[in-house]
Amino acid sequence: DAMVIQNPRYQVTQFGKPVTLSCSQTLNHNVMYWYQQKSSQAPKLLFHYYDKDFNNEADTPDNFQSRRPNTSFCFLDIRSPGLGDAAMYLCATSSGLTSTRHTFGSGTRLTVV
Amino acid sequence: GNSVTQMEGPVTLSEEAFLTINCTYTATGYPSLFWYVQYPGEGLQLLLKATKADDKGSNKGFEATYRKETTSFHLEKGSVQVSDSAVYFCALSAGREYGNKLVFGAGTILRVKS
């Protein structure tokens, strides 16, 4: 089945140690999104790619970066995780900017110790 | 700007009770509206959607009608089950100029008791 896959499901990292979360998709969708969801809060968009065009939300901290080496993969890099970055990170895709439907992965829960 | 307001929870119901979760929105233009469901430790699953005024989205016994005049998209189900216990998020699509990103409400926890 076509899907959005996030690895790992659970990630523990040390305070200040760079960490990378990954997302892959078999849907061949043009758009990939990264949302951050802190405990008991709504998901909030960090950035998105339309093909290779990167679009950062205005309030996304500089500590968060992203890479999309090809259509299938997108990575979220946190350069120096702080305790406040502990959250569920959700990857989603959509077929294009005229499509409103997102397909979500199962998420990666990040713990910072 | 774009925003979504939904009723605070948790909402606790007995099995077979009627469910309503209120959702209102503020948006420029005519956004698409969604309800997503999240089970513990999981990602988001699309429950239903509506793309224009007076559309009714429905799935698994849940329904919501896009009401432009009241800028609302309330979620309803006639008879809830224990398996419906989850967090429900109302969302809108912010439009092509914003990459069609989703703007979510704060979420409503639903607990159904047997």
Side-chain angles (χ1 to χ4, degrees), chain A residues 9 33 35 37 42 57 97, chain B residues 38 41 96 99-102 105:
Chain A
R9 286 294 303 275
Y33 304 85
Y35 289 84
Q37 184 182 20
E57 292 295 295
L97 293 181
Chain B
Q38 187 174 36
R96 182 174 180 152
N100 273 330
K101 71 177 183 180
L102 293 176

Side-chain angles (χ1 to χ4, degrees), chain A residues 38-65:
Chain A
K38 295 188 177 181
S39 181
S40 303
Q41 296 184 22
K44 183 174 174 302
L45 184 67
L46 294 172
F47 25 60
H48 77 275
Y49 273 95
Y50 178 62
D51 289 332
K52 286 193 173 291
D53 184 22
F54 177 71
N55 297 274
N56 202 30
E57 292 295 295
D59 55 356
T60 297
D62 293 340
N63 198 25
F64 291 85
Q65 306 283 322

Side-chain angles (χ1 to χ4, degrees), chain A residues 18-83:
Chain A
V19 65
T20 295
L21 310 182
S22 74
C23 177
S24 64
Q25 52 127 341
T26 59
L27 297 157
N28 204 34
H29 281 172
N30 296 109
V31 192
M32 295 187 78
Y33 304 85
W34 280 104
Y35 289 84
Q36 179 192 60
Q37 184 182 20
K38 295 188 177 181
S39 181
S40 303
Q41 296 184 22
K44 183 174 174 302
L45 184 67
L46 294 172
F47 25 60
H48 77 275
Y49 273 95
Y50 178 62
D51 289 332
K52 286 193 173 291
D53 184 22
F54 177 71
N55 297 274
N56 202 30
E57 292 295 295
D59 55 356
T60 297
D62 293 340
N63 198 25
F64 291 85
Q65 306 283 322
S66 186
R67 296 170 284 134
R68 190 178 185 187
N70 54 52
T71 299
S72 300
F73 285 88
C74 194
F75 300 99
L76 170 63
D77 301 309
I78 309 176
R79 290 192 297 185
S80 181
L83 297 178

Side-chain angles (χ1 to χ4, degrees), chain B residues 6-114:
Chain B
Q6 60 183 102
M7 64 188 286
E8 290 188 23
V11 174
T12 302
L13 296 173
S14 298
E15 211 166 18
E16 299 183 3
F18 184 85
L19 168 71
T20 300
I21 301 177
N22 290 337
C23 171
T24 57
Y25 68 90
T26 302
T28 52
Y30 303 99
S32 293
L33 301 174
F34 305 84
W35 278 99
Y36 280 85
V37 59
Q38 187 174 36
Y39 298 99
E42 300 291 326
L44 295 170
Q45 298 176 27
L46 178 64
L47 182 60
L48 54 84
K49 72 173 189 177
T51 57
K52 61 184 187 297
D54 300 325
D55 266 3
K56 177 186 281 188
S58 61
N59 186 27
K60 299 180 182 179
F62 291 90
E63 293 183 340
T65 301
Y66 191 143
R67 301 286 187 200
K68 182 168 171 288
E69 63 277 13
T70 54
T71 61
S72 64
F73 192 56
H74 305 321
L75 181 69
E76 296 182 336
K77 187 175 185 182
S79 176
V80 294
Q81 305 301 312
V82 172
S83 58
D84 293 327
S85 298
V87 183
Y88 291 81
F89 290 96
C90 185
L92 63 81
S93 180
R96 182 174 180 152
E97 63 271 32
Y98 299 104
N100 273 330
K101 71 177 183 180
L102 293 176
V103 176
F104 290 90
T108 302
I109 297 172
L110 173 63
R111 297 183 180 134
V112 181
K113 297 182 174 181
S114 59

Side-chain angles (χ1 to χ4, degrees), chain A residues 1-6 24-29 93 103-105:
Chain A
D1 284 342
M3 57 177 61
V4 180
I5 301 167
Q6 292 188 242
S24 64
Q25 52 127 341
T26 59
L27 297 157
N28 204 34
H29 281 172
T93 72
T103 301
F104 280 87

